[in-house]
Every structure is written in structure tokens, then in C-alpha cells.
Amino acid sequence: MRSWQYSRTAGGLEKNLSLNPAAPLPTPKPDQHLVQVIAAALNPVDYKPAEIPGIIRFAIAKPATPGIDFAGAIVRPASDSPLKAGQLVFGACGTNPVAGGALREFSVSGIKSTVAIPEGVEPIDAATVGVAGLTAYQSIVPHVKKGDKIFINGGSGGTGVFGIQIAKA
């Protein structure tokens, strides 16, 4: 299995990524799906924390594979999951919030962080929803009721674009 990996981040994560053509296939836990990644979307959380001195040394097992947001197909569903093998899904990869593992051919994703891609939505579009979409949702829905007015600063960024849509709904 191929996987983009890094063991250090000096000079920037992008300068240290290399394609490992023989990375081991991840082994899912009972509450995790094994998914074949079709598309991944990168966010600042995928590289900025890893570039903080000390974090790479202590919080991230090496070699590490970045990427949280993904879209893919279920290879092996988690125990007691309504999702089926072959079903297209999207969500958040892995168990490490700094090195999720979306930048590899196969990854694991939790039963609570993976949902079916709605009919008519392309996997490449669904892959963008994870971090930015959930951040916008959690920032607005619990605090805003119908008729409220809100100001979204940074509405042209990833989270802002989702925030505007959620606020309008």
C-alpha cells in the first residue's frame, strides 16, 4: 500500500513528505472501518501542529501520515455498523488528530466519524466537509436559533463557506 509519510518536519512538512510504496495496511479496531481512500482534503490542522517544535517528537508516532478529511469506499465495516462493504463514505480518518492518515490508499475511520455520501454528491466534494464543515456546524447550531443574525468573519475560507450555508439554512 502506498502512503505519504514524514518522520521530521524541519523546513516545513511539505519538504519532508515522501511516498512509501510499501507501507503496512492499517488494522482497524472493532469500532473502526477500513476504507479505501478516493479523495483527501488538507487543512491547516494537518500540518501546522506537526511543525511545532517538540510536537513531532512526542505526540506523533513516526513515520506519520497526515490528513484527516477523506472520502472513500468501505472495505471492511466496523462491528455493528449500518454501513456496508463497497459503500461510499466520508468523514475523519484515524485516531490521532494531528496525523489522521488520509494521505494513503487505505485508512481507518471511526464508526462515529464516518457517514454515507449522499446520492448525487461526488467523493471529491464530500472529502472537503470533515474538519471545516463540523467546525462550522458546532460553532453555529448550538448557539443560534431561527431569526437570529450572525456575523461570519472569514466567510470565504473553508469553515466560513460552510458556516454561511449552515446559517442560511
Side-chain angles (χ1 to χ4, degrees):
M1 174 193 77
R2 294 178 299 173
S3 176
W4 287 99
Q5 297 180 322
Y6 64 93
S7 292
R8 49 187 302 245
T9 58
L13 183 65
E14 71 281 1
K15 293 180 180 156
N16 292 281
L17 278 174
S18 61
L19 186 60
N20 178 352
L25 190 69
T27 305
K29 296 176 183 170
D31 65 341
Q32 293 177 323
H33 306 286
L34 177 64
V35 296
Q36 182 175 13
V37 177
I38 295 171
L42 296 176
N43 294 290
V45 74
D46 293 315
Y47 63 90
K48 284 186 177 186
E51 292 177 348
I52 297 171
I55 296 289
I56 181 74
R57 219 170 322 145
F58 303 112
I60 304 170
K62 271 88 55 215
T65 299
I68 297 171
D69 295 353
F70 84 98
I74 297 280
V75 174
R76 188 176 338 138
S79 301
D80 300 322
S81 172
L83 300 173
K84 305 291 182 222
Q87 189 168 11
L88 293 177
V89 295
F90 72 102
C93 275
T95 55
N96 186 321
V98 181
L103 292 185
R104 57 181 163 207
E105 289 181 294
F106 294 88
S107 193
V108 294
S109 82
I111 195 168
K112 292 183 178 181
S113 60
T114 309
V115 295
I117 294 178
E119 190 174 320
V121 176
E122 293 295 324
I124 197 164
D125 296 324
T128 68
V129 176
V131 171
L134 189 57
T135 300
Y137 182 87
Q138 291 175 334
S139 299
I140 295 171
V141 172
H143 310 289
V144 177
K145 62 185 181 310
K146 189 169 180 68
D148 284 353
K149 294 181 189 264
I150 66 171
F151 172 72
I152 298 176
N153 188 22
S156 63
T159 301
V161 168
F162 286 107
I164 290 169
Q165 299 309 309
I166 291 167
K168 288 180 75 91

